Amino acid sequence: MAEAVEDIEFRLLLEAVFRKYHYDFRGYSTASLKRRLRQARERMNCSSFSQLQDRVLHDPSAFPELISFLTVQVSELFRDPAYFRAIRERVVPYLRTYPSLKVWVAGCSAGEEVYSLAILFREEGLEDRTMLYGTDINPEALRRAEAGVYELDRIPSFTENHRLSGGKSSLSDYYTAAYGGAVFDKSLRRRAVFSDHSLAADQVFAEVQLVSCRNVLIYFDRPLQDRAIGLFKDSLSRKGFLGLGAKESLRFSSHADGFETFDQAERIYRKRGDA
Amino acid sequence: MTPGRAEAVAVGASAGALEALSAILPGLPADYPLPVFVVVHLPPDRESLMARLLQDSCRIKIREAEDKEAIEPGTVYVAPPDYHLLIEPDRRLSLSSEEPVLFSRPSIDVMFETAAEAYGPGLVGVVLTGANSDGARGLRAIRAAGGSGLVQRPDAATASAMPRAALEACPDALALTLQEIAEHLRGMVASR
Ligand SMILES: C[S@@+](CC[C@H](N)C(=O)[O-])C[C@H]1O[C@@H](n2cnc3c(N)ncnc32)[C@H](O)[C@@H]1O
């Protein structure tokens, strides 16, 4: 069967975005990416992917809008509380044995996961020896992460998540309500750095003891998942920890041998000593 | 377009889903030659009992869908709660935590639309009981890609809104009882 015209246009659009803006979406899961690009096409009033490509190539101001469709920004503080409980109860005891710690939150969206870990590490008394690196490719998300302001209507579920994660303090200790939002305490950012980094294109930038990369790999096809997991493996110190999203695993990865399963239910893995 | 040789079955159900699926899936043999994708609306706790509950009464394998796994015949893949299930053109499964569609995640429309693209005329879409209109748009996409549509007869469904919406969107879909749907799914592969 001949390739559908829309599929040709879809691939060409991704190629154009890569060549012009160096954002590489070519290895993302097709079904979801195409759905989101169709939404972009409609909202940006284009009748075809070719027309959208034309717009994006000739009008750089259209690109940030397109990026917001290309990346999925759904997140929460202490999303999947059981994961954070496992980090707290099972991983932290190992982390305590290090005099200094680095944590990489890959695909941190607007910072929710980074603030969650900053609060957890403070509660566990590890804050002062820890650096948290939050990375993402979406500039708007990184800007929001830097600001640390979330809509007030999200706070009740964040509070409940924090409690279920085994939180030892009250979430309200960490934010003040202002400008119609919850402004998280600047001191939580003292040990956090947010930066632009792509799991599809960039290299390892630090040696870390914990990588938390949740709900990012599901948007990648298998070869790109493998690239990302390879980066995590190279970045982790011996016996370092890798936490994935609730529906992500190393099962199909060529790097699976380099890790042992530490907590099957919460998808936490540990780099082997000899890997 | 006339539907082609069936290659996959896509099922959507909401209120009353367990009962309806329990009237259909136990009728499929262990070596049913097609994969079956199922989206049901469930409360978003993490632990889904659906696959396990259904397995007790079924011979065909029933599993919760995993991200990027290759699709096998003779297997029912159930979308996990709180994740969309998508079918990739290379015939793997994908999960996604994108925004709910019509207040639903998983969304029947999202699964149907992506499955329609992956299987075209080879897809059979089935809309069962439910109290919303999820699945109508997806069934239209399945029909537009040349696949066929089966809808539970609204007057025989626990909740009639969803099958009714599907029939409004696809007036030429077959309106059948659960029994007839089960027979149809078996019958269309009988000669293989
Ligand atoms: C669904 S959010 C996950 C947020 C958070 N980790 C969580 O689990 O709640 C996915 C994030 O991955 C980011 N992302 C997508 N492609 C990426 C890439 N190639 N490198 C790094 N981050 C990426 C998106 O911009 C988005 O912020």
Side-chain angles (χ1 to χ4, degrees):
Chain A
M1 209 167 81
E3 199 179 355
V5 170
E6 194 195 36
D7 289 331
I8 299 172
E9 293 178 289
F10 171 69
R11 291 290 153 202
L12 291 174
L13 171 57
L14 299 183
E15 194 63 34
V17 164
F18 175 62
R19 299 242 196 129
K20 169 114 175 127
Y21 298 101
H22 309 292
Y23 279 80
D24 194 351
F25 292 97
R26 297 173 302 174
Y28 283 48
S29 310
T30 305
S32 147
L33 190 62
K34 208 191 263 176
R35 260 192 88 241
R36 281 177 278 126
L37 273 177
R38 286 190 183 130
Q39 286 164 5
R41 185 176 68 194
E42 194 172 314
R43 295 257 212 96
M44 294 170 77
N45 295 316
C46 294
S47 58
S48 67
F49 286 150
S50 301
Q51 203 184 5
L52 186 56
Q53 175 183 323
D54 186 64
R55 262 283 281 296
V56 170
L57 282 176
H58 297 286
D59 174 8
S61 71
F63 186 60
E65 189 178 354
L66 187 65
I67 278 280
S68 70
F69 286 99
L70 287 166
T71 62
V72 175
Q73 295 302 323
V74 177
S75 190
E76 290 163 33
L77 250 72
F78 295 95
R79 177 181 193 171
D80 305 321
Y83 170 81
F84 288 92
R85 184 180 275 276
I87 296 282
R88 187 191 298 279
E89 291 174 357
R90 299 202 55 208
V91 176
V92 160
Y94 290 94
L95 297 181
R96 274 190 208 296
T97 63
Y98 292 88
S100 81
L101 288 167
K102 287 182 179 155
V103 176
W104 177 15
V105 179
C108 66
S109 195
E112 293 89 340
E113 200 177 328
V114 173
Y115 287 98
S116 307
L117 288 172
I119 290 168
L120 191 158
F121 275 55
R122 180 177 292 184
E123 287 173 336
E124 298 301 326
L126 292 176
E127 183 185 23
D128 290 337
R129 64 176 101 160
T130 304
M131 282 300 301
L132 291 158
Y133 298 95
T135 61
D136 205 283
I137 58 167
N138 183 320
E140 172 62 15
L142 287 168
R143 205 191 51 67
R144 294 186 54 212
E146 201 72 62
V149 184
Y150 301 108
E151 294 80 3
L152 278 176
D153 61 7
R154 300 175 72 191
I155 293 296
S157 77
F158 290 0
T159 304
E160 177 66 357
N161 285 353
H162 173 242
R163 192 182 66 71
L164 292 171
S165 79
K168 293 178 172 165
S169 50
S170 163
L171 193 68
S172 59
D173 297 346
Y174 304 99
Y175 64 85
T176 46
Y179 317 110
V183 185
F184 276 74
D185 194 346
K186 271 202 186 61
S187 70
L188 290 170
R189 278 195 300 287
R190 214 162 33 91
R191 314 285 304 167
V193 181
F194 292 103
S195 48
D196 175 59
H197 179 279
S198 171
L199 295 169
D202 295 321
Q203 302 302 323
V204 168
F205 59 87
E207 181 175 324
V208 305
Q209 285 70 45
L210 167 64
V211 172
S212 192
C213 180
R214 312 197 66 226
N215 306 297
V216 181
L217 297 182
I218 44 176
Y219 301 106
F220 295 174
D221 68 12
R222 277 208 207 174
L224 186 53
Q225 289 187 348
D226 240 28
R227 182 190 196 275
I229 293 164
L231 290 184
F232 302 151
K233 194 175 92 179
D234 291 343
S235 181
L236 282 169
S237 58
R238 268 184 79 243
K239 298 275 195 177
F241 294 88
L242 168 62
L244 302 178
K247 296 297 168 197
E248 293 163 334
S249 79
L250 296 183
R251 198 173 129 203
F252 302 122
S253 171
S254 67
H255 299 290
D257 287 350
F259 292 88
E260 59 196 56
T261 302
F262 181 78
D263 186 322
Q264 173 62 32
E266 298 313 323
R267 314 291 167 121
I268 300 171
Y269 301 86
R270 197 168 188 202
K271 186 170 154 177
R272 286 187 192 278
D274 52 10
Chain B
M1 258 197 269
T2 45
R5 182 184 155 98
E7 292 183 85
V9 180
V11 183
S14 188
L18 186 57
E19 212 187 323
L21 291 169
S22 300
I24 295 176
L25 299 178
L28 302 180
D31 62 352
Y32 193 65
L34 314 180
V36 180
F37 313 118
V38 175
V39 167
V40 290
H41 297 151
L42 292 164
D45 345 78
R46 280 182 58 180
E47 203 53 45
S48 158
L49 290 172
M50 195 60 129
R52 257 182 288 158
L53 281 176
L54 288 168
Q55 185 68 79
D56 289 342
S57 59
C58 291
R59 283 164 296 164
I60 190 169
K61 235 184 298 153
I62 304 193
R63 301 207 286 106
E64 197 172 277
E66 280 194 52
D67 182 55
K68 301 291 145 27
E69 73 177 310
I71 294 164
E72 310 265 1
T75 310
V76 177
Y77 298 97
V78 183
D82 215 21
Y83 284 81
H84 292 301
L85 171 63
L86 300 91
I87 315 301
E88 295 290 335
D90 68 353
R91 302 198 174 172
R92 288 178 193 280
L93 305 175
S94 273
L95 301 178
S96 148
S97 61
E98 276 159 83
E99 290 77 7
V101 177
L102 297 177
F103 308 101
S104 299
R105 187 174 58 206
S107 148
I108 300 167
D109 283 341
V110 168
M111 189 270 276
F112 278 13
E113 285 169 7
T114 55
E117 274 198 51
Y119 288 95
L123 186 67
V124 180
V126 184
V127 176
L128 303 175
T129 168
N132 51 69
S133 64
D134 196 7
R137 208 188 127 127
L139 195 67
R140 195 159 49 206
I142 291 174
R143 293 290 296 130
S148 52
L150 312 180
V151 177
Q152 183 178 9
R153 265 177 41 196
D155 60 339
T158 310
S160 62
M162 206 165 87
R164 187 164 290 132
L167 285 170
E168 267 162 32
C170 306
D172 57 351
L174 295 176
L176 305 171
T177 64
L178 293 174
Q179 206 49 49
E180 289 164 336
I181 291 172
E183 277 161 24
H184 189 102
L185 295 181
R186 274 195 311 270
M188 71 192 186
V189 298
S191 55
R192 299 192 193 173

mmCIF file of all heavy atoms in Angstrom, chain B residues 11-12 32 59 65 74 84 131 154:
data_model
loop_
_atom_site.group_PDB
_atom_site.id
_atom_site.type_symbol
_atom_site.label_atom_id
_atom_site.label_comp_id
_atom_site.label_asym_id
_atom_site.label_seq_id
_atom_site.Cartn_x
_atom_site.Cartn_y
_atom_site.Cartn_z
ATOM 1 N N VAL B 11 -12.600 -2.870 21.597
ATOM 2 C CA VAL B 11 -13.837 -2.842 22.374
ATOM 3 C C VAL B 11 -13.807 -1.690 23.361
ATOM 4 O O VAL B 11 -12.806 -1.473 24.049
ATOM 5 C CB VAL B 11 -14.007 -4.162 23.167
ATOM 6 C CG1 VAL B 11 -15.337 -4.173 23.918
ATOM 7 C CG2 VAL B 11 -13.899 -5.371 22.246
ATOM 8 N N GLY B 12 -14.925 -0.955 23.467
ATOM 9 C CA GLY B 12 -15.043 0.098 24.468
ATOM 10 C C GLY B 12 -16.288 -0.109 25.301
ATOM 11 O O GLY B 12 -17.346 -0.437 24.764
ATOM 12 N N TYR B 32 -7.912 -17.833 19.735
ATOM 13 C CA TYR B 32 -8.569 -16.827 18.886
ATOM 14 C C TYR B 32 -7.498 -16.141 18.049
ATOM 15 O O TYR B 32 -6.490 -15.678 18.592
ATOM 16 C CB TYR B 32 -9.303 -15.827 19.783
ATOM 17 C CG TYR B 32 -10.255 -14.927 19.039
ATOM 18 C CD1 TYR B 32 -11.378 -15.442 18.407
ATOM 19 C CD2 TYR B 32 -10.019 -13.550 18.966
ATOM 20 C CE1 TYR B 32 -12.258 -14.610 17.732
ATOM 21 C CE2 TYR B 32 -10.899 -12.711 18.286
ATOM 22 C CZ TYR B 32 -12.015 -13.249 17.664
ATOM 23 O OH TYR B 32 -12.882 -12.436 16.989
ATOM 24 N N ARG B 59 -10.935 -18.285 28.524
ATOM 25 C CA ARG B 59 -9.840 -19.139 28.051
ATOM 26 C C ARG B 59 -8.791 -18.314 27.329
ATOM 27 O O ARG B 59 -7.610 -18.588 27.376
ATOM 28 C CB ARG B 59 -10.385 -20.228 27.123
ATOM 29 C CG ARG B 59 -11.077 -21.367 27.887
ATOM 30 C CD ARG B 59 -11.924 -22.194 26.961
ATOM 31 N NE ARG B 59 -13.022 -21.393 26.413
ATOM 32 C CZ ARG B 59 -13.742 -21.738 25.358
ATOM 33 N NH1 ARG B 59 -13.471 -22.850 24.709
ATOM 34 N NH2 ARG B 59 -14.736 -20.978 24.943
ATOM 35 N N ALA B 65 -2.400 -3.969 29.357
ATOM 36 C CA ALA B 65 -1.488 -3.558 28.289
ATOM 37 C C ALA B 65 -0.217 -2.957 28.870
ATOM 38 O O ALA B 65 -0.268 -2.212 29.836
ATOM 39 C CB ALA B 65 -2.187 -2.533 27.394
ATOM 40 N N GLY B 74 -4.682 -13.788 19.913
ATOM 41 C CA GLY B 74 -5.089 -14.632 21.029
ATOM 42 C C GLY B 74 -4.891 -13.975 22.380
ATOM 43 O O GLY B 74 -4.775 -14.650 23.398
ATOM 44 N N HIS B 84 -4.104 6.423 28.784
ATOM 45 C CA HIS B 84 -4.659 6.136 27.467
ATOM 46 C C HIS B 84 -3.907 4.952 26.868
ATOM 47 O O HIS B 84 -2.701 4.800 27.083
ATOM 48 C CB HIS B 84 -4.480 7.334 26.526
ATOM 49 C CG HIS B 84 -5.308 8.527 26.904
ATOM 50 N ND1 HIS B 84 -6.677 8.483 26.987
ATOM 51 C CD2 HIS B 84 -4.955 9.800 27.211
ATOM 52 C CE1 HIS B 84 -7.131 9.682 27.326
ATOM 53 N NE2 HIS B 84 -6.111 10.494 27.468
ATOM 54 N N ALA B 131 -22.635 5.294 29.948
ATOM 55 C CA ALA B 131 -23.522 6.431 30.210
ATOM 56 C C ALA B 131 -22.984 7.745 29.656
ATOM 57 O O ALA B 131 -23.393 8.810 30.073
ATOM 58 C CB ALA B 131 -23.754 6.548 31.722
ATOM 59 N N PRO B 154 -28.982 -0.499 22.174
ATOM 60 C CA PRO B 154 -29.197 0.388 23.331
ATOM 61 C C PRO B 154 -30.306 -0.123 24.254
ATOM 62 O O PRO B 154 -30.179 -0.031 25.472
ATOM 63 C CB PRO B 154 -29.579 1.726 22.692
ATOM 64 C CG PRO B 154 -28.960 1.686 21.336
ATOM 65 C CD PRO B 154 -28.983 0.250 20.899
#
